Amino acid sequence: MSCCKNLVVLKFGGSILRSGSDYVRVAQHVKELVDAGFRVVVVVSAMKGITDLLSLVASSRERVKVLKEVISKYLLAIREVGCDGVPKGQLSAFSEVSAELAKVAWAIDVLGEVTPRVRDYVLSFGEVMSSVIMSLALRSQGVSTKWFTGRQAGIVTDDNYGEANPIHEVSAGLVRERLCSLIREGAVPVVTGFVAGTLDGSVTVLGRGGSDFTATLLARHLGASEVRLYTDVPGVMSADPELVPNARVIDVMSFNEAMELAYLGAKKFHPRTFEPLVGTDIAVRVTSLHTKGEGGTLITEEGGGPPLKAVVVLNDLSVVSVVGARMVGRLGTAAEIAATAARVGVNIIGIVQPVSEISISLIVNRVDATRLVNALTAIVRKGVVRDVVVEDVVAVSVVGEGLKDPRFVSEVINWVSEEPLSIVSWYRGDVSLTLTFNNVDKSRVARILHSGVLRYG
Ligand code: ASP
Ligand code: MG
């Protein structure tokens, strides 16, 4: 059910909210869209870097110093926005919010501890202050507006602090109730990204980068036609331009491809961004202010465009392999190796075992490799495995729906047939294929794979 026609949810990320003039630019852009007949909901992140500072307010002994830094950054932004025509009440909203944050920081200092619940509350202030400033900037442009925390806008979550889970059945009705009539009157709700709350009113956050998720949740509940994620790059790129000079903006892609890029760390979407939109025809556009929200990358459930979309270099990985004939046919070896990794806090990024069972290779972050090798050496001593070997590798993933077809998998492998390939990681249905190489220049393999990708369009 749609709240109204022509509704777009615009999310402005921290990367483009660096100073007061950025808020003014965003507000002018929103005004243009409103004047052009769009109904608009604005979702804002905290200013660039603020959430990191707030997590220091929660955890560091320097909290008072950091707190002052946060408040002075926002005060400077308010001053730059200018407050012509803004009612006094709006300005005092900011003072109230900063006084509350100071109180919380003081309480943490006194108690000497931060519960997860208090930590979420502290983190929420970045978005709250940002939305107060955004609504000031909009008002200065003559746009009728009202700001909401995510919870006030109706997003209800469980109490899994730090990474709370939205409860859709409750949120759907509330969001419509809180926002629809305002939107229909032509006003622009400004909603804090990232911040939500439990049914009984505790503040929660949706996990780092969560403003994307807020935007798609609101779009789903309001039946918007499009979500626009504004960033400082022109769209989702086909590769990192620093490594691959002819990287370009991807025109269209599917939710699956976009999620894969997020999981691989190539694009910093919140991992759950697309979840609320599955089964709807709401599109996401990753775009920038420079293009006035046009162009960029259009992401829809069905996607489209060329079969292969992007090449991603996964940096600083190593492969730790355990080898030994006594592993063959022995039950529990893989379990023991995986349990050892878990015990020493090493995340297994990839895992390969040939069917002969003669070895097991784990792809891990390079910083973890030595720790893992040391822990596995204990198993060597027990005599089950003969040796533990570690190698630094370059891992490159190719992403695209086309990879569901195994013919593309063999084709991609062909492109790098001259290179020292060590591991191929792919499973039927995957929309990415990851290859690791020993002793190669990462930019060279990325360029080879990328030119292959470009041959398809
Ligand atoms: N401010 C939060 C963060 O830095 C949420 C967001 O920007 O999306 O993670
Ligand atoms: Mg983000």
Side-chain angles (χ1 to χ4, degrees):
M1 193 181 53
S2 173
C3 164
C4 56
K5 275 216 213 99
N6 252 352
L7 176 64
V8 287
V9 177
L10 314 180
K11 176 251 164 179
F12 299 96
S15 68
I16 56 165
L17 298 174
R18 292 167 190 252
S19 69
S21 56
D22 292 331
Y23 286 85
V24 175
R25 252 191 301 278
V26 167
Q28 285 164 344
H29 174 63
V30 170
K31 166 113 170 76
E32 279 167 22
L33 290 176
V34 171
D35 289 347
F38 285 98
R39 304 288 183 165
V40 177
V41 175
V42 168
V43 174
V44 283
S45 290
M47 279 177 86
K48 170 100 182 152
I50 292 287
T51 308
D52 292 333
L53 290 177
L54 287 169
S55 74
L56 290 179
V57 170
S59 63
S60 135
R61 284 174 192 277
E62 306 276 291
R63 75 174 47 87
V64 174
K65 196 173 128 231
V66 184
L67 169 82
K68 284 188 181 148
E69 192 182 337
V70 169
I71 294 181
S72 67
K73 280 196 171 164
Y74 278 121
L75 274 177
L76 188 65
I78 290 200
R79 238 170 270 139
E80 286 168 354
V81 166
C83 302
D84 302 344
V86 171
K88 280 260 174 313
Q90 273 288 313
L91 288 177
S92 64
F94 185 82
S95 325
E96 274 164 32
V97 169
S98 30
E100 172 72 5
L101 174 59
K103 250 195 280 174
V104 181
W106 177 79
I108 296 171
D109 240 11
V110 172
L111 294 173
E113 69 165 354
V114 210
T115 60
R117 172 166 167 225
V118 170
R119 193 184 147 77
D120 278 23
Y121 189 42
V122 171
L123 292 185
S124 74
F125 280 88
E127 270 69 10
V128 168
M129 291 178 169
S130 187
S131 62
V132 171
I133 299 180
M134 187 62 82
S135 67
L136 289 174
L138 284 167
R139 243 171 253 256
S140 299
Q141 296 297 322
V143 175
S144 153
T145 178
K146 183 168 187 227
W147 79 269
F148 297 81
T149 66
R151 177 68 181 83
Q152 288 164 345
I155 301 178
V156 173
T157 67
D158 64 8
D159 61 359
N160 183 34
Y161 294 105
E163 212 135 332
N165 304 294
I167 306 169
H168 301 308
E169 310 78 70
V170 185
S171 306
L174 273 181
V175 167
R176 281 197 288 268
E177 188 185 304
R178 303 280 164 85
L179 302 186
C180 267
S181 50
L182 199 67
I183 298 169
R184 288 196 189 117
E185 286 161 17
V188 173
V190 175
V191 182
T192 60
F194 179 57
V195 180
T198 61
L199 206 49
D200 60 11
S202 310
V203 174
T204 56
V205 298
L206 302 175
R208 294 306 303 267
S211 300
D212 297 338
F213 194 21
T214 304
T216 54
L217 283 165
L218 292 177
R220 160 108 204 194
H221 298 321
L222 295 169
S225 53
E226 191 173 292
V227 177
R228 292 190 189 171
L229 306 176
Y230 288 76
T231 68
D232 58 351
V233 287
V236 181
M237 303 295 292
S238 59
D240 176 353
E242 304 243 316
L243 295 175
V244 181
N246 62 344
R248 57 187 196 188
V249 173
I250 300 168
D251 294 330
V252 289
M253 66 197 311
S254 66
F255 290 161
N256 278 334
E257 290 170 330
M259 281 191 269
E260 197 70 13
L261 286 176
Y263 298 149
L264 292 169
K267 181 70 202 137
K268 293 197 188 75
F269 296 120
H270 184 281
R272 296 180 69 180
T273 301
F274 299 96
E275 205 182 279
L277 307 185
V278 171
T280 72
D281 52 14
I282 304 172
V284 173
R285 189 182 288 280
V286 179
T287 183
S288 71
L289 277 180
H290 301 293
T291 57
K292 297 202 167 292
E294 302 293 323
T297 305
L298 189 70
I299 311 172
T300 61
E301 180 146 54
E302 58 174 13
L308 303 177
K309 298 294 194 317
V311 170
V312 184
V313 173
L314 313 175
N315 282 311
D316 302 320
L317 298 181
S318 295
V319 171
V320 174
S321 306
V322 292
V323 287
R326 285 187 59 193
M327 290 162 54
V328 175
R330 179 182 177 274
L331 290 184
T333 311
E336 201 170 345
I337 290 167
T340 304
R343 186 167 46 77
V344 294
V346 173
N347 181 35
I348 300 172
I349 295 168
I351 183 162
V352 194
Q353 180 191 279
V355 175
S356 68
E357 300 176 78
I358 194 93
S359 67
I360 293 179
S361 298
L362 308 177
I363 306 176
V364 297
N365 284 312
R366 197 163 296 165
V367 289
D368 291 339
T370 314
R371 193 154 31 104
L372 180 60
V373 170
N374 291 341
L376 289 171
T377 307
I379 311 184
V380 175
R381 279 196 214 104
K382 281 201 270 171
V384 177
V385 300
R386 179 165 44 81
D387 211 356
V388 183
V389 187
V390 57
E391 314 153 282
D392 288 349
V393 291
V394 164
V396 186
S397 303
V398 176
V399 175
E401 295 273 356
L403 290 163
K404 288 181 177 164
D405 178 346
R407 279 172 296 188
F408 276 105
V409 176
S410 55
E411 172 144 9
V412 170
I413 293 173
N414 240 321
W415 297 336
V416 287
S417 57
E418 304 288 312
E419 306 301 320
L421 182 62
S422 57
I423 293 177
V424 174
S425 164
W426 176 82
Y427 179 67
R428 168 173 40 87
D430 284 354
V431 294
S432 77
L433 162 70
T434 301
L435 306 172
T436 75
F437 304 87
N438 291 61
N439 303 316
V440 288
D441 173 30
K442 61 181 178 184
S443 151
R444 197 167 64 96
V445 263
R447 284 196 306 256
I448 296 172
L449 291 167
H450 188 259
S451 51
V453 166
L454 288 193
R455 252 175 262 150
Y456 285 94

